[in-house]
Amino acid sequence: MEYFKTLENLEASFRKFADMSKCVIYNGDDKNTLDSLEGVTGKVMISFGKNDCCDYVAKDVDWKDGAFPCFDVYHKGEKLGRIELSVPGEHNVLNAMAAICTAMFCGATFEQCKISIATFKGAGRRFEYLGTYNGADVVDDYAHHPAELEVTLSAAKKMSYKRVWAVFQPFTFSRTKLHLDAFAKALSIADKVVLTEIMGSREINTYGITTQDLADEIPGSVWFDTFQKVCDYVKENAEEGDLILTLGCGDVYKVAKMILELLKLVGLENEKHKNSPPRVRHLPWAIHILHLKQKDDIPARRNTRICRTTGNKRLFRTEGTARRPTRHLRVKQRRRTARPLQQ
C-alpha cells in the first residue's frame, strides 16, 4: 500500500493484469479478489476456495501432527482425492489449491499433483527449516506484515514445540508506526519475543518510532541493537524442544544462521565434554603421583604426574631432577654429544 496508496488502485492493477492473461485462477472466497475481477471477460475463469460456489473446493480439513493440513479436493461436486501437505499452516490449504488448479489447467493429473505436493517442503524463507542443534529447531520465514506474522506464528504454535521464539526485525519506520498495535498483537502469539532495530531501508526516521515503542506493547519482550546481542541472548536462553523462528523481509535471515552456528558450537562443546574422560583437578603441576610398576615396562624408580591442562601422563625421575621430564634430558644430552668441543 506504500505504492498504491488505496485499495481501489491496488484492485485496478490486478484487473489490468487479468485483462492481459489467458486464464485467471482466483480465490473465490475473497471479496477483494472478486471486486478486482469485475468487468474481466473473455478469459478462462477458474475459482478455488472452501465454499461450494467455487470450481475447486477444499473440504474436510484435518491436521497431521497438529500443524500440517490434510484435505479432500472436489471439482464441481466430484471428489478427486485427498491431499497431504508437508508445510504447516492453514493458509497453505489455499496455496495448494491454487497450485492444483494451475497444474491441472496445464495438463497434469490429480495424482501427479498429489505426489508433487506431498514432497514439497516449502520455498526458501517460507518456514524454511535450517537445522536442529542442542535440541532447538531453527526456522526462517519472510513474514513481515501483521497478517503474515499471525498465520505463521499460529501455525508454529500448533506444532509440538515446548516454546516458540519470534525473533522479529521490523521493516520500515512508516509500517512499524502504522501497524504498531497489529504487530504487537500478532507477535504476542509467540512464547518468547526478541526484537532487532527497525530496518529503515529506503526511509529516514521522521516518524519518531523506535523498537522500544513496539517492545513496550509486548509483555516480556526484549530488544537489542545488534544481531550479535540477539544471538547471544537466544543462545543463553533457548532450551531443548524450542522452535526459534526468525521473521522479517530484511536481513534477519543472517540472525538465523548466526544462531544456528552458535547453537552448533554449544552442541559440539557439550558433546566434547560428554565424551571426554573425567578430569582430575590438581594443584599446579601435580598433586597426584601414580607409581608405575614393572609390568608397565617402566622402571619402578620412576613415576608419572598428570598434567593439569591436558590430562596426559608425563614421565619423571624420582631423584635429582624430579621436576624435569626425562625425555627433555635425553634431548639435551644428544645435542651435547653431537657437537664435540673444539681443541
Side-chain angles (χ1 to χ4, degrees):
M1 296 304 291
E2 288 90 345
Y3 175 78
F4 291 103
K5 305 301 181 184
T6 66
L7 181 60
E8 290 74 17
N9 291 337
L10 179 61
E11 291 176 352
S13 179
F14 276 102
R15 188 177 301 112
K16 182 179 180 180
F17 178 74
D19 282 331
M20 297 187 295
S21 306
K22 177 181 178 180
C23 175
V24 179
I25 299 173
Y26 63 98
N27 183 353
D29 295 339
D30 184 68
K31 181 181 181 303
N32 291 332
T33 301
L34 297 177
D35 292 340
S36 300
L37 295 177
E38 286 184 2
V40 177
T41 59
K43 313 294 180 183
V44 178
M45 308 292 288
I46 302 175
S47 62
F48 63 88
K50 297 181 180 180
N51 295 321
D52 291 333
C53 61
C54 299
D55 297 318
Y56 288 82
V57 182
K59 294 184 177 181
D60 301 324
V61 179
D62 199 2
W63 301 92
K64 179 177 61 177
D65 297 332
F68 301 93
C70 307
F71 56 93
D72 295 327
V73 178
Y74 288 79
H75 179 229
K76 296 184 177 180
E78 178 186 354
K79 183 177 179 180
L80 300 180
R82 190 161 183 81
I83 294 292
E84 294 186 0
L85 300 184
S86 298
V87 289
E90 187 173 1
H91 59 288
N92 279 315
V93 173
L94 293 179
N95 288 339
M97 291 294 290
I100 291 170
C101 292
T102 305
M104 294 187 68
F105 173 76
C106 294
T109 65
F110 179 79
E111 286 301 316
Q112 290 174 322
C113 296
K114 178 179 179 178
I115 294 172
S116 297
I117 287 177
T119 58
F120 178 67
K121 304 297 183 181
R125 299 221 62 211
R126 285 301 187 185
F127 216 89
E128 182 182 6
Y129 170 76
L130 298 179
T132 300
Y133 292 95
N134 205 31
D137 285 356
V138 180
V139 173
D140 180 52
D141 196 275
Y142 191 77
H144 58 282
H145 187 275
E148 294 176 319
L149 292 171
E150 183 176 354
V151 296
T152 302
L153 290 173
S154 296
K157 286 290 288 183
K158 291 180 180 178
M159 304 174 80
S160 57
Y161 289 103
K162 182 167 65 175
R163 296 184 303 177
V164 174
W165 288 68
V167 182
F168 178 60
Q169 180 188 44
F171 185 73
T172 71
F173 303 107
S174 59
R175 181 176 296 169
T176 305
K177 178 76 172 181
L178 180 63
H179 300 294
L180 187 66
D181 293 338
F183 275 125
K185 180 181 178 182
L187 289 168
S188 296
I189 296 173
D191 301 295
K192 301 284 288 184
V193 179
V194 184
L195 305 172
T196 73
E197 287 275 29
I198 299 173
M199 184 176 186
S201 184
R202 60 190 177 274
E203 295 182 346
I204 298 175
N205 190 8
T206 60
Y207 303 87
I209 188 75
T210 66
T211 304
Q212 183 65 60
D213 297 321
L214 179 57
D216 290 341
E217 300 296 322
I218 307 172
S221 66
V222 295
W223 75 278
F224 300 96
D225 56 359
T226 67
F227 284 174
Q228 187 59 55
K229 292 178 182 178
V230 171
C231 294
D232 292 340
Y233 179 82
V234 174
K235 183 194 73 171
E236 294 298 326
N237 294 277
E239 299 176 357
E240 182 178 354
D242 286 356
L243 170 64
I244 303 169
L245 185 56
T246 55
L247 301 155
C249 65
D251 58 351
V252 70
Y253 64 89
K254 297 177 182 177
V255 177
K257 295 179 180 180
M258 291 169 66
I259 290 173
L260 198 61
E261 287 302 316
L262 284 174
L263 291 177
K264 182 177 180 180
L265 291 174
V266 171
L268 291 175
E269 189 68 20
N270 290 343
E271 191 68 20
K272 177 182 177 182
H273 289 309
K274 178 181 177 181
N275 295 330
S276 61
R279 294 175 58 185
V280 182
R281 295 187 178 274
H282 305 284
L283 295 175
W285 288 110
I287 193 174
H288 185 66
I289 304 297
L290 297 178
H291 292 280
L292 302 181
K293 298 182 180 180
Q294 294 290 346
K295 67 178 182 179
D296 295 318
D297 297 326
I298 297 179
R301 292 179 63 247
R302 298 177 179 177
N303 57 59
T304 63
R305 297 183 192 140
I306 297 178
C307 177
R308 178 170 62 90
T309 304
T310 64
N312 296 330
K313 296 178 181 179
R314 302 183 69 187
L315 184 61
F316 289 83
R317 294 185 186 276
T318 58
E319 55 183 358
T321 57
R323 291 186 179 273
R324 188 184 298 274
T326 302
R327 63 184 183 87
H328 290 175
L329 293 176
R330 289 177 177 175
V331 170
K332 189 173 182 180
Q333 185 178 14
R334 283 199 301 271
R335 288 176 178 172
R336 287 179 177 177
T337 57
R339 298 172 56 186
L341 297 175
Q342 296 181 357
Q343 298 297 328

